[in-house]
Amino acid sequence: MGLDPRQLTWQLLRDAASSVQGKDPGQWKAFAEERIDEVRRYWEDAMGGLRAAATQWSSMREFAALGSPSAMLPFFQFRDWLQALLDPAQAWGGGASELPGLGPHRNQQEAAQEVVRLSGELRKTMLEFNLYMAEGIPEVLDRLRDRLSTFDVDAENPLKSSRAVYDLCVECFEEVYARRTAEESFSRLYGELNNSLLRLRKHWLGQLNEMLRGLGMPDQEALTTLQKRQQELRRELRKLQGELQTLREAGSAPKQQQAKQQKGVRQPEKQAASGAKARKAGGRKGRARRRGGAASGTTTPGASPGNTSGGA
Amino acid sequence: MEKQDMSFPFLPGAGAPEELQKLFQQLTQGFENLARVKDVEVGCTPRKALYREDKLTLYRFQPPEGQAVDIPVLIVYALVNRPYMADLQEGRSLVQGLLAQGLDVYLVDWGYPDPSDRFLGLDDYLNGYLDRCVDVLRERLGRERLNLLGICQGGTFAVCYSALHPGKVSNLITTVAPIDFHTPDDLLSRMVRHIDVDLVVDSCGNVSGDSLNSLFLSLQPFRLTGQKYLGMLDLLDDEQKLANFVRMEKWIFDSPDQAGEAFREFVQQFYQQNLLVRGGVRIGDREVDPHCITMPVLNVYALKDHLVPPAASQALKGLTGSIDYSALEFPGGHIGLFVSGKANKLVAPGIGKWLRHRS
């Protein structure tokens, strides 16, 4: 009968509890420190493996590339496994990734080799990034231990709940995260991680495009070209609408002037009162339009009444 | 059957089982409230569309009945996230605060770009869309110049626009706007510094809002992906607070995709090369010269901002050609500046007073 994980967790909690049961409640700190040290040791061991994997990347690749006499089969089975893990291209055909593509499918062969190469690059970068982030854990645990040691059962503000311990953990994690992400090496690793992923994505996209073209379907490249042309046309349309508006305004100006003059003959007394105001407003609008067109190199908003709504 | 001893003396005070039990009770009782706040509404002030172009809409917010508004101000929002953050809900709205100050509030909503907008560049956004919105308002209001209020990336845009079109801006207000993108405490900038943005745009086209959200969450991953939601449990019995939480969640994850070309230009020129401070930002065929900003400038920034550190905003001082520079420090975070109770008392009144003095 398998062990229920909930029972196991409860048992662990009870074991932990019994280790300080009946003792001075102040001993919880010693208990916490012990557990933290335990986790720290465990983590350091795990880190050793990760570090080895990252720093010995090249030597492992060399080892994985050795020949495979049948007498040493078990050893070389392990080697094959390692090889597949580190560089599937090597495992695939004993250095196939180094060979040029041949025959009618040479392009596809080389494209597949490139996928394998880029995947390997991504795995390597991911390992380095994870290692960098994991290296901060011991510092988190040290901080947590120091922080816990400042709390006291009899203090005014003791740690009262598991939630408080959790909050303390989050605080320590965030502090260390902020410190490590402030380093230039983080910035470089994070950039490289994203770039490796994007290189792989771009390559896949190229393969997908090939396939779509083969099926006679529109591919991403075709869409990109259309999107670009559409934007160019939008800009051109805006420019032409602006020019048209300027021409319309220029054409209507003499008529407005003529109307004003005729009105002036009939009502000279009113013109005297309102003329200055009208000239001021007209000049202001005209200046606004001219400056808008010149600065943006595009158009004025009034140029496109079809795009407006709500009484602009 | 032997009765189990449930005491757990690891921590003084409440034992762990009791704490767990309390947690389950909270969850059970709060479940109904959680279901009730599923469909929260955002954006509380009535508004009217004045101008539309492609995905962009220019809005005017309606002042409350009987409220006179005489100083126009155009809010320029960021391309990242949605502008209703400035008008999130009753009592937590910068827009309401500005209206109460007698300001006539307009807003540029950029909309949600789709693949057909992939080649929209900063030139299209600033010298095209924004400039046309400004011209619509100048003509409508019969004014040569407008007051601009930029929010976050919209603040950076407002700075660039004011430098390119100084004759159209009477006063410039920036809120939590990044200016110096290379301050030591700017994690966002460090994260994107070595990313090959050409590769991003060439392989992805538009940049998805989800990927930007992941980036923002990774600024404080332990707080923002875990602790925050544990904290939500404390709100479960208060429907009002829970609704506020869910409303904020809705805003945070309502992230438009970014038009590829504009994203490329913004990240390369601002985040990676820091050209706004160093000089040499190019929008279209023109160079942005901050010294052309001679109008009065009010720079509002948050002292606990983890997205745009205060130092990144403070860099505006001395960068422009304005002899009338003021700063308003807000003792809170990036979002709190718009939605907190403290902001209601400080930010809108501060902006209103500053603008009225100069109008």
Side-chain angles (χ1 to χ4, degrees):
Chain A
M1 192 176 142
L3 192 60
D4 180 350
R6 282 171 304 180
Q7 278 179 5
L8 181 65
T9 309
W10 183 245
Q11 190 55 46
L12 280 172
L13 286 172
R14 286 197 53 75
D15 286 351
S18 65
S19 67
V20 286
Q21 192 86 53
K23 294 178 185 170
D24 179 354
Q27 284 186 334
W28 68 269
K29 277 200 295 189
F31 171 79
E33 282 176 17
E34 249 174 56
R35 297 288 84 76
I36 290 172
D37 283 342
E38 232 170 63
V39 174
R40 201 184 191 290
R41 276 196 299 277
Y42 170 80
W43 193 262
E44 298 258 292
D45 286 349
M47 288 288 297
L50 264 179
R51 271 192 209 104
T55 54
Q56 294 168 16
W57 185 264
S58 315
S59 54
M60 283 203 288
R61 279 178 67 123
E62 282 164 20
F63 166 67
L66 288 173
S68 55
S70 55
M72 297 177 73
L73 193 60
F75 172 77
F76 283 105
Q77 273 172 346
F78 168 66
R79 187 223 61 175
D80 291 344
W81 171 82
L82 184 62
Q83 194 178 57
L85 180 77
L86 296 175
D87 191 350
Q90 292 285 335
W92 190 36
S97 65
E98 311 299 328
L99 297 175
L102 297 168
H105 298 295
R106 69 173 305 281
N107 291 350
Q108 285 88 334
Q109 289 166 29
E110 290 190 352
Q113 287 171 347
E114 187 65 359
V115 169
V116 171
R117 190 186 68 78
L118 291 172
S119 305
E121 204 177 278
L122 175 61
R123 275 198 306 280
K124 181 177 179 290
T125 321
M126 204 177 275
L127 180 64
E128 284 169 357
F129 182 81
N130 288 342
L131 177 65
Y132 180 82
M133 297 314 290
E135 274 171 351
I137 299 292
E139 192 185 334
V140 173
L141 294 169
D142 288 344
R143 277 184 194 233
L144 184 61
R145 187 174 45 195
D146 292 348
R147 214 61 64 82
L148 278 173
S149 70
T150 62
F151 286 94
D152 205 315
V153 179
D154 303 320
E156 281 179 15
N157 186 26
L159 277 179
K160 284 180 179 164
S161 62
S162 313
R163 172 80 174 276
V165 178
Y166 168 76
D167 289 342
L168 204 60
C169 289
V170 170
E171 199 178 296
C172 295
F173 269 106
E174 286 291 3
E175 282 171 9
V176 173
Y177 181 79
R179 196 190 65 68
R180 288 187 70 76
T181 52
E183 291 167 7
E184 174 61 16
S185 43
F186 167 81
S187 183
R188 290 201 174 280
L189 276 171
Y190 186 79
E192 194 40 46
L193 179 63
N194 279 282
N195 293 341
S196 337
L197 188 64
L198 287 163
R199 278 192 286 268
L200 184 60
R201 182 191 159 106
K202 194 178 179 186
H203 183 71
W204 272 120
L205 191 65
Q207 294 308 293
L208 189 64
N209 283 339
E210 287 281 337
M211 199 174 79
L212 289 168
R213 273 197 294 270
L215 293 169
M217 293 170 72
D219 63 357
Q220 186 58 48
E221 280 174 28
L223 285 176
T224 303
T225 305
L226 288 174
Q227 289 163 351
K228 195 170 188 173
R229 282 185 192 156
Q230 186 198 13
Q231 188 57 38
E232 284 163 2
L233 286 171
R234 267 184 189 168
R235 288 179 192 137
E236 190 65 21
L237 180 66
R238 283 274 151 213
K239 196 176 156 201
L240 291 172
Q241 283 175 328
E243 286 172 9
L244 184 63
Q245 181 72 14
T246 310
L247 287 171
R248 275 188 186 143
E249 284 173 4
S252 63
K255 285 180 191 166
Q256 283 174 356
Q257 189 65 28
Q258 201 179 1
K260 270 183 197 169
Q261 280 170 357
Q262 283 171 355
K263 203 176 175 185
V265 172
R266 284 196 297 273
Q267 296 177 306
E269 68 283 2
K270 275 193 178 178
Q271 185 192 17
S274 62
K277 197 179 168 187
R279 274 196 302 276
K280 198 178 169 187
R284 194 162 51 209
K285 285 185 180 178
R287 278 198 301 279
R289 287 207 175 96
R290 281 193 297 277
R291 196 162 22 241
S296 67
T298 50
T299 184
T300 57
S304 179
N307 278 337
T308 59
S309 68
Chain B
M1 192 179 159
E2 190 190 346
K3 192 183 168 192
Q4 278 197 333
D5 176 11
M6 298 292 282
S7 63
F8 183 50
F10 173 57
L11 293 167
E18 285 80 5
E19 204 180 338
L20 266 180
Q21 197 180 4
K22 192 181 156 205
L23 188 71
F24 285 127
Q25 271 171 3
Q26 273 182 318
L27 273 174
T28 319
Q29 288 164 2
F31 190 76
E32 267 184 42
N33 280 345
L34 200 56
R36 257 200 293 275
V37 298
K38 185 173 178 289
D39 301 314
V40 285
E41 287 190 359
V42 288
C44 58
T45 312
R47 61 188 187 173
K48 187 178 169 188
L50 299 182
Y51 175 72
R52 287 187 205 276
E53 182 183 339
D54 300 335
K55 312 249 171 11
L56 171 143
T57 311
L58 171 65
Y59 288 106
R60 177 180 185 252
F61 288 98
Q62 312 275 27
E65 195 73 30
Q67 169 78 56
V69 288
D70 57 351
I71 302 173
V73 59
L74 173 62
I75 297 178
V76 183
Y77 199 74
L79 300 174
V80 182
N81 286 110
R82 301 287 297 140
Y84 56 77
M85 198 261 276
D87 186 39
L88 195 63
Q89 68 184 94
E90 201 71 35
R92 299 172 84 200
S93 161
L94 175 71
V95 169
Q96 278 188 337
L98 295 177
L99 290 170
Q101 293 297 315
L103 306 186
D104 191 6
V105 185
Y106 300 85
L107 178 132
V108 180
D109 180 346
W110 306 109
Y112 294 85
D114 65 23
S116 70
D117 301 307
R118 146 94 163 83
F119 283 94
L120 278 177
L122 291 182
D123 187 32
D124 299 303
Y125 275 111
L126 299 189
N127 294 324
Y129 291 144
L130 179 57
D131 192 44
R132 287 192 281 277
C133 287
V134 168
D135 283 348
V136 163
L137 292 180
R138 288 166 70 222
E139 191 151 345
R140 178 187 166 94
L141 300 166
R143 286 171 177 258
E144 272 205 53
R145 295 165 188 232
L146 280 183
N147 301 308
L148 280 194
L149 190 161
I151 295 178
C152 190
Q153 184 194 33
T156 315
F157 286 171
V159 167
C160 293
Y161 182 83
S162 303
L164 292 168
H165 306 270
K168 296 185 183 183
V169 183
S170 48
N171 295 290
L172 169 65
I173 302 154
T174 56
T175 52
V176 289
I179 303 297
D180 182 349
F181 290 77
H182 284 189
T183 54
D185 48 355
D186 194 336
L187 175 56
L188 191 56
S189 164
R190 276 197 303 278
M191 287 182 126
V192 300
R193 193 120 2 129
H194 297 289
I195 289 181
D196 184 342
V197 185
D198 289 331
L199 199 54
V200 175
V201 177
D202 294 344
S203 62
C204 302
N206 286 348
V207 176
S208 78
D210 285 346
S211 61
L212 286 187
N213 269 331
S214 304
L215 185 67
F216 296 142
L217 291 178
S218 62
L219 296 179
Q220 292 183 327
F222 305 96
R223 281 206 179 102
L224 300 178
T225 61
Q227 191 184 35
K228 189 175 103 173
Y229 298 98
L230 201 58
M232 187 193 77
L233 299 181
D234 296 335
L235 311 176
L236 283 177
D237 55 354
D238 186 330
E239 196 177 325
Q240 191 61 43
K241 284 182 181 167
L242 198 56
N244 290 350
F245 185 92
V246 173
R247 199 171 280 117
M248 191 54 77
E249 284 289 284
K250 181 184 168 90
W251 175 78
I252 289 169
F253 295 103
D254 187 359
S255 309
D257 293 345
Q258 302 296 296
E261 288 310 305
F263 181 84
R264 188 200 309 261
E265 290 174 43
F266 192 74
V267 174
Q268 286 180 340
Q269 295 199 64
F270 293 84
Y271 270 101
Q272 293 184 330
Q273 297 166 30
N274 203 19
L275 294 185
L276 191 55
V277 170
R278 287 184 188 159
V281 169
R282 293 197 75 82
I283 308 284
D285 57 359
R286 296 181 64 195
E287 186 171 325
V288 173
D289 180 4
H291 290 101
C292 294
I293 299 173
T294 51
M295 72 287 300
V297 175
L298 172 63
N299 188 9
V300 186
Y301 49 85
L303 295 172
K304 292 177 185 167
D305 194 333
H306 74 286
L307 278 168
V308 180
S313 297
Q314 285 161 345
L316 186 60
K317 186 181 182 183
L319 189 71
T320 69
S322 175
I323 51 167
D324 182 1
Y325 171 91
S326 315
L328 177 60
E329 289 185 343
F330 173 71
H334 192 77
I335 315 292
L337 193 136
F338 301 97
V339 298
S340 67
K342 241 186 299 182
N344 276 346
K345 289 177 197 147
L346 282 175
V347 180
I351 292 172
K353 193 175 162 192
W354 184 86
L355 262 183
R356 195 157 289 284
H357 189 64
R358 285 158 181 79
S359 297

